[in-house]
Amino acid sequence: MLESPERLKLGGERRKITILTSDLRGFTALSERFLPEEVIHILNLYLEYMADVINHYQGTIDEFMGDGILVLFGAPIAKEDDALRAVTCACAMQLAMGGVNEKMKTLGWPPLEMGIGINTGEVIVGNIGSEKRTKYGIVGSQVNLTYRIESYTSGGQILISEQTFKEVRSSVKILGQKQVQPKGMSQPITIYEVYGVGGRYNLYLPKDEEIFFPVPQEIPLLYTILHDKQMGNPVFSGHLIKLSTKGAELQVDIPNEIPYNLTNIKINLFISQNPTQVSEDIYAKVLEKVATTGSFYIHFTAVPPALVAQFDNLYKMISQKPN
């Protein structure tokens, strides 16, 4: 900018870039249980690890938004491998969460999980604001689409758009694909789940298969569907019938009340002798895993510490029980 002062002028240009956005699953619920100083400590720990990875793959951190990160590949400087570096960076970020959670464990805090969405498209990029305060950033529908793609992720997942997939298909390894219809779009789009990058990068995410074991006694519960992180009005009832290390299988009392895949829900369990007393809020995402009639699988996104301990003890008991 010192060499080219004209770059400081307000305005933008139309450019094709790759956009990466990440978000911690269930962090809002987690932060409500910690002191403000602890929340800042956790955020700084997480963001320090992520910033190092992003800088290594030459991404431009556009902004930190609480526990979310917006990263640009192709702005302000474009390179031929922008999309591939973005996907590789996402894999490295997920692998770096291991180091984050080791630190969290030593501090006595629960582990964190992150979802990442990536999209490639044309945006307006440049200096936005006023003469008194200017910010380098991007605007356009492709930015909103990236956030929508990220919203479909569970913890540990990387989802990319079809346009990004076309740019990297020769190097990136895909677990599967699915069609979704993001809010505000007239037609469904295809998104792809990444588990690794081959070639010179050779980065792969661990593929741990979730094993669900039946609980000895079904746990009654209530659940509410969340729309854009806001609770819907209807409250549905069911039972927790199976448990894994990171999720569960829920059986609904009325079969046609099964929520759609990738829906976010809030759950309250009846775990005491008092039939009117429910647990603290549990948050989860509905998985695409095929379940028996009248039931569906979930991935926990936020579980209260007291319930984490109970779930861990229950899972150890049922997973070690001989068939």
Side-chain angles (χ1 to χ4, degrees), residues 19-23 65 68-71 115-118 146-147 150:
I19 309 157
L20 179 156
T21 183
S22 68
D23 189 61
M65 302 158 291
I69 311 174
L70 178 63
V71 187
I116 298 177
I118 301 176
T146 311
Y147 284 117
E150 185 276 322

Side-chain angles (χ1 to χ4, degrees), residues 263-287:
T263 300
N264 294 304
I265 62 174
K266 179 180 76 71
I267 304 165
N268 297 100
L269 303 176
F270 292 96
I271 53 177
S272 70
Q273 298 300 320
N274 185 344
T276 62
Q277 184 177 350
V278 296
S279 69
E280 292 183 70
D281 295 341
I282 300 169
Y283 293 91
K285 184 180 287 288
V286 178
L287 298 177

Side-chain angles (χ1 to χ4, degrees), residues 214-220 239-242 273 314 317-318:
V215 296
Q217 184 174 354
E218 297 180 359
I219 305 171
H239 293 78
L240 189 154
I241 61 174
K242 290 183 182 179
Q273 298 300 320
L314 178 57
M317 181 187 74
I318 59 181

Side-chain angles (χ1 to χ4, degrees), residues 53-311:
V53 173
I54 293 164
N55 288 333
H56 178 76
Y57 290 97
Q58 299 174 305
T60 300
I61 299 174
D62 186 65
E63 58 182 319
F64 295 130
M65 302 158 291
D67 59 308
I69 311 174
L70 178 63
V71 187
L72 315 180
F73 290 84
I77 299 173
K79 297 185 178 181
E80 290 185 359
D81 63 342
D82 285 329
L84 181 58
R85 281 186 294 106
V87 177
T88 308
C89 178
C91 292
M93 288 169 68
Q94 290 291 15
L95 292 171
M97 289 300 291
V100 173
N101 285 326
E102 282 296 320
K103 288 285 186 68
M104 293 286 287
K105 185 177 180 180
T106 61
L107 294 169
W109 292 336
L112 302 173
E113 286 191 319
M114 173 179 62
I116 298 177
I118 301 176
N119 177 38
T120 301
E122 198 172 74
V123 299
I124 303 297
V125 57
N127 297 315
I128 302 167
S130 69
E131 294 295 339
K132 293 183 178 179
R133 191 177 192 282
T134 303
K135 176 186 177 298
Y136 184 81
I138 56 172
V139 293
S141 61
Q142 297 299 325
V143 186
N144 298 331
L145 178 57
T146 311
Y147 284 117
R148 294 296 181 190
I149 292 170
E150 185 276 322
S151 72
Y152 291 114
T153 62
S154 298
Q157 274 191 318
I158 301 167
L159 295 178
I160 65 175
S161 68
E162 188 164 16
Q163 186 57 46
T164 301
F165 178 64
K166 289 177 180 177
E167 302 256 342
V168 301
R169 65 192 311 162
S170 62
S171 301
V172 168
K173 309 303 177 185
I174 299 296
L175 270 179
Q177 65 187 69
K178 53 197 164 196
Q179 279 205 327
V180 296
Q181 186 156 5
K183 184 178 179 180
M185 298 200 68
S186 59
Q187 297 294 328
I189 64 168
T190 303
I191 55 177
Y192 301 80
E193 182 178 356
V194 173
Y195 78 89
V197 179
R200 61 192 178 97
Y201 290 115
N202 197 35
L203 280 181
Y204 294 90
L205 306 184
K207 292 192 291 183
D208 298 328
E209 184 180 356
E210 284 285 287
I211 303 175
F212 294 79
F213 293 96
V215 296
Q217 184 174 354
E218 297 180 359
I219 305 171
L221 58 85
L222 301 173
Y223 71 89
T224 307
I225 296 173
L226 303 177
H227 301 284
D228 288 334
K229 299 188 178 181
Q230 300 294 320
M231 284 186 291
N233 291 324
V235 177
F236 306 102
S237 60
H239 293 78
L240 189 154
I241 61 174
K242 290 183 182 179
L243 187 68
S244 74
T245 54
K246 296 181 179 180
E249 182 181 355
L250 307 186
Q251 188 173 60
V252 297
D253 290 344
I254 301 176
N256 62 3
E257 291 178 346
I258 292 179
Y260 293 117
N261 292 337
L262 307 179
T263 300
N264 294 304
I265 62 174
K266 179 180 76 71
I267 304 165
N268 297 100
L269 303 176
F270 292 96
I271 53 177
S272 70
Q273 298 300 320
N274 185 344
T276 62
Q277 184 177 350
V278 296
S279 69
E280 292 183 70
D281 295 341
I282 300 169
Y283 293 91
K285 184 180 287 288
V286 178
L287 298 177
E288 295 179 291
K289 181 179 174 67
V290 178
T292 56
T293 303
S295 67
F296 60 95
Y297 288 98
I298 59 169
H299 180 96
F300 295 129
T301 55
V303 181
L307 284 176
V308 169
Q310 291 185 47
F311 282 162

